[in-house]
Amino acid sequence: MSSTATPETRRTALDALHRSLGATMTDFAGWDMPLRYGSERDEHLAVRTKAGLFDLSHMGEITVTGPQAAQLLNYALVGNIASVGLGRARYTMICRADGGILDDLIVYRLAETEYMVVANASNAQVVLDALTERAAGFDAVVRDDRDAYALLAVQGPESPGILKSLTDADLDGLKYYAGLPGTVAGVPALIARTGYTGEDGFELFVSPGDAEKLWLALTEAGAQVGLIPCGLSCRDTLRLEAGMPLYGHELSTSLTPFDAGLGRVVKFEKDGDFVGRGALEAAAERAASQPPRVLVGLVAEGRRVPRAGYPVVADGQVIGEVTSGAPSPTLGKPIAMAYVDAAHSAPGTTGVGVDIRGSHEPYEVVALPFYKREK
């Protein structure tokens, strides 16, 4: 077990458990988190074929309540949160006035006038500050609930069976991007059918004091079907194969949702103004008339692995930049996501390479995602 923690680094309620399992720990967004427990490849393939158990307690939970909670969120975020049904969740974004992406989020509607906004760990304070500032004039309260929750995720094709053995909640009736309160292994939880791996799975929001009990119960229930603990490293390769963006790589304040190919999350038709509307309308027009660089998939013809920031080239010219790259355990080849000029963005485009330390390695342009599970 190794760690790069500093005295200021935050630790989750499962920290001692991770260390007892021999996890390699790393600093991630100010949290000491498990990077891997053993083989990253084995952890990745367990999620693809069986099940993996993750500690995601570094994510930032922010509760918004009050008679005008929906109106506040409609104003503060780019999505139509007022149309989210009870017990449902929505992927959305919070943008600056200039349209730049502050973070991508999942918003759960927990009750008639209660919502939970889940932010990325690295942006949780930024999102909290922005929501608090934007709440002025609304009859709504923004509450920092980061210390109120631990978050565990069980992901993979065996995850429904594992969870069913520990709860009487109606998992069969729980749709993708929905959540319901229930009890798992005797622990009160918000059970959400969401994830960041490309597989079916669940995220369980619980009190930090209940996290270890739940982790051990899930471990025992999943032992017979191959569930293993999984770290952030395989979470990254899983989300990359599934074509899911990562803030700081595919998303940033220098990009609008339209630049990122995610303009569908911006709902201009909703009632009222929202932060960034004017800038985003202009970005939508630009994207329609003259597409900016397009986010594409790249699959290596060789074995060299591309990394974020590497130039994408064609005919000796730089045509884009890699945002994420890694060996793909599922495909057996290195893969990358990259923003490239529209002229080179069509799947099957030839003559595209990645400049890896001065050598132009050939890559095939493919449509995202690289991997899609069978329903």
Side-chain angles (χ1 to χ4, degrees):
M1 186 276 294
S2 64
S3 176
T4 56
T6 67
E8 298 79 29
T9 305
R10 300 185 70 182
R11 293 180 172 180
T12 78
L14 293 165
D15 184 77
L17 187 59
H18 298 317
R19 294 168 192 278
S20 74
L21 293 170
T24 297
M25 307 294 286
T26 189
D27 179 82
F28 184 82
W31 290 81
D32 207 25
M33 297 296 294
L35 188 64
R36 70 183 76 82
Y37 298 85
S39 158
E40 294 169 6
R41 184 175 183 276
D42 288 350
E43 291 173 24
H44 179 109
L45 293 176
V47 175
R48 286 279 177 259
T49 61
K50 297 169 185 174
L53 180 59
F54 296 83
D55 178 10
L56 305 178
S57 301
H58 60 312
M59 300 295 281
E61 296 87 6
I62 301 162
T63 303
V64 180
T65 58
Q68 291 189 308
Q71 292 95 317
L72 163 58
L73 291 171
N74 260 18
Y75 170 72
L77 312 180
V78 300
N80 188 354
I81 308 305
S83 68
V84 177
L86 280 173
R88 298 308 302 267
R90 185 157 296 167
Y91 177 78
T92 187
M93 294 182 183
I94 182 168
C95 290
R96 302 192 307 193
D98 67 1
I101 302 167
L102 284 172
D103 201 13
D104 61 335
L105 312 164
I106 296 179
V107 180
Y108 297 87
R109 188 175 185 184
L110 303 181
E112 191 65 37
T113 59
E114 181 180 0
Y115 297 81
M116 181 168 68
V117 177
V118 181
N120 286 298
S122 57
N123 294 327
Q125 189 65 48
V126 169
V127 174
L128 177 66
D129 291 345
L131 287 174
T132 302
E133 181 183 327
R134 295 174 189 188
F138 289 93
D139 188 4
V141 175
V142 176
R143 185 175 73 233
D144 181 0
D145 270 348
R146 284 176 286 179
D147 292 335
Y149 291 103
L151 177 58
L152 279 62
V154 56
Q155 298 278 302
E158 297 287 352
S159 58
I162 294 168
L163 207 56
K164 279 180 186 176
S165 72
L166 296 173
T167 184
D168 57 6
D170 179 17
L171 298 186
D172 289 334
L174 187 64
K175 296 181 173 132
Y176 186 51
Y177 265 70
L180 83 168
T183 302
V184 183
V187 170
L190 171 66
I191 306 167
R193 199 165 205 154
T194 45
Y196 193 52
T197 63
E199 298 298 335
D200 191 11
F202 303 87
E203 295 183 328
L204 307 170
F205 296 86
V206 300
S207 167
D210 291 329
E212 187 168 331
K213 177 184 177 182
L214 182 55
W215 179 282
L216 294 173
L218 288 164
T219 299
E220 184 178 353
Q224 297 302 311
V225 292
L227 175 138
I228 61 172
C230 293
L232 293 184
S233 185
C234 83
R235 180 171 153 92
D236 190 50
T237 53
L238 288 159
R239 70 93 195 166
L240 177 56
E241 287 184 351
M244 294 176 169
L246 175 64
Y247 196 89
H249 290 254
E250 288 73 41
L251 308 174
S252 71
T253 52
S254 64
L255 296 169
T256 73
F258 294 94
D259 296 325
L262 291 165
R264 64 182 180 276
V265 306
V266 182
K267 303 301 182 186
F268 294 120
E269 70 276 12
K270 65 180 175 177
D271 292 338
D273 193 16
F274 62 92
V275 177
R277 178 191 273 275
L280 291 169
E281 286 173 341
E285 289 180 21
R286 286 196 305 273
S289 60
Q290 185 181 4
R293 283 184 167 176
V294 178
L295 188 64
V296 300
L298 300 174
V299 177
E301 295 180 18
R303 308 303 306 169
R304 297 188 72 184
V305 178
R307 299 298 182 190
Y310 284 10
V312 182
V313 295
D315 301 322
Q317 302 295 314
V318 174
I319 60 155
E321 184 176 293
V322 171
T323 54
S324 297
S328 165
T330 304
L331 276 63
K333 299 176 180 180
I335 60 173
M337 286 199 280
Y339 283 108
V340 302
D341 293 346
H344 295 87
S345 64
T349 299
T350 57
V352 172
V354 175
D355 185 339
I356 301 180
R357 298 188 182 90
S359 173
H360 291 188
E361 301 291 325
Y363 274 74
E364 178 188 0
V365 178
V366 300
L368 292 170
F370 300 96
Y371 166 86
K372 200 167 190 177
R373 71 182 173 94
E374 295 180 9
K375 299 294 183 186

